[in-house]
Amino acid sequence: MVCYKTFKYLCQRRCKLIGIKRPIDHIVFAVQHLDKAVSNFQEKFGVCPIFGGYHRTQGTKNALVKLNDRTYLELLASDHHNQDILPPRWMGVDILSRNQITRWAIRSQKLQEDRKIILRHHEHMGTIAEGSRVTANGSELTWQLLVPLAVPEVELIPFAIDWSSSATHPCDVMPEMGCELIELYGTHPNPDQFVELFEALGLELQLIKSKEISLKATLKTPRGIFEI
């Protein structure tokens, strides 16, 4: 995580600022220890992520931070008490080199169409599954999604999620938390390989050429602007 001065330096390196046409549903910040990550997040940014629940069929648990535009940040960790799901679990949680963003999700109302597009670029990212969990207030969230894989550690291709079967969206049951997403961008040794896919999905994600494959988010928080 870096401060605003570093963020400003990064901006100066970019040749172009590009937005995202389709709405981002959420950003997955995978962490090695959820309780510790929640405590560190609160101490650094002045806001406490709210425990979301357990993904029983995936062996993970999460805590959430509400952002703007019905988008949220998901702190995701392995649920080691769930012995039914063995590693490697989804989203790269079992191969983390450090706490970092490993996935991002786009909201979808045409999951089958998105599946066909993504399959043309990644033959293993086309499985559609249903999921559900009970929120802290007792309401049930249900969804369909293109299942994210366990590897690699960081995947720049987004997965798509459809909440149309749910009475609510996670953001609907969270209080305002004073956080906003300013920008999401990625780095990759060969960013041009994603151009066709992103155009087909209606995305315009800024990709910077770099030796490192990464996803970075710039957040406005109660304690200032930071990059994670």
Side-chain angles (χ1 to χ4, degrees):
M1 300 182 186
V2 298
C3 67
Y4 182 63
K5 288 183 180 178
T6 306
F7 163 62
K8 187 175 182 181
Y9 164 73
L10 289 169
C11 286
Q12 291 171 346
R13 290 190 305 149
R14 299 180 200 180
C15 60
K16 191 176 182 182
L17 179 64
I18 304 179
I20 298 175
K21 295 177 184 177
R22 286 183 63 175
I24 299 174
D25 188 78
H26 64 279
I27 298 166
V28 180
F29 186 70
V31 300
Q32 294 167 326
H33 305 285
L34 187 61
D35 291 344
K36 184 177 179 179
V38 166
S39 178
N40 289 344
F41 197 96
Q42 182 176 17
E43 181 179 356
K44 187 175 183 67
F45 304 123
V47 61
C48 184
I50 298 172
F51 183 72
Y54 297 92
H55 304 110
R56 303 293 184 187
T57 60
Q58 299 296 339
T60 52
K61 56 186 177 180
N62 66 14
L64 311 179
V65 177
K66 185 176 183 178
L67 304 174
N68 51 313
D69 299 326
R70 223 181 184 202
T71 299
Y72 64 95
L73 178 71
E74 176 183 27
L75 279 65
L76 183 78
S78 297
D79 175 13
H80 297 296
H81 295 292
N82 184 344
Q83 298 299 311
D84 295 327
I85 308 299
L86 300 177
R89 303 168 182 87
W90 66 352
M91 312 272 198
V93 294
D94 288 310
I95 56 173
L96 282 178
S97 59
R98 64 184 186 276
N99 294 351
Q100 64 175 320
I101 298 173
T102 63
R103 302 291 187 276
W104 63 298
I106 53 175
R107 206 166 304 138
S108 178
Q109 294 181 328
K110 48 180 183 178
L111 210 56
Q112 288 290 350
E113 292 181 29
D114 290 334
R115 174 181 180 273
K116 292 177 183 178
I117 293 170
I118 290 175
L119 274 175
R120 292 202 297 266
H121 296 268
H122 196 305
E123 63 180 353
H124 299 300
M125 289 185 67
T127 301
I128 294 179
E130 296 182 351
S132 66
R133 68 174 174 85
V134 177
T135 67
N137 69 2
S139 62
E140 185 178 24
L141 297 172
T142 59
W143 62 84
Q144 285 189 314
L145 83 168
L146 292 175
V147 180
L149 303 179
V151 294
E153 183 177 5
V154 177
E155 177 60 75
L156 296 184
I157 299 175
F159 65 97
I161 187 165
D162 182 356
W163 295 95
S164 61
S165 63
S166 184
T168 60
H169 183 271
C171 287
D172 298 337
V173 295
M174 283 191 283
E176 295 299 326
M177 304 176 78
C179 292
E180 296 180 15
L181 174 65
I182 296 177
E183 183 187 13
L184 177 70
Y185 73 94
T187 68
H188 193 275
N190 182 22
D192 290 344
Q193 76 180 61
F194 298 94
V195 171
E196 182 181 348
L197 169 63
F198 285 1
E199 287 181 350
L201 288 172
L203 303 173
E204 292 182 343
L205 180 73
Q206 168 81 351
L207 291 181
I208 300 169
K209 189 170 184 178
S210 171
K211 292 181 180 180
E212 181 186 22
I213 298 174
S214 69
L215 284 163
K216 304 291 186 182
T218 306
L219 304 179
K220 179 181 178 183
T221 75
R223 291 190 176 159
I225 295 176
F226 294 86
E227 183 179 84
I228 62 172

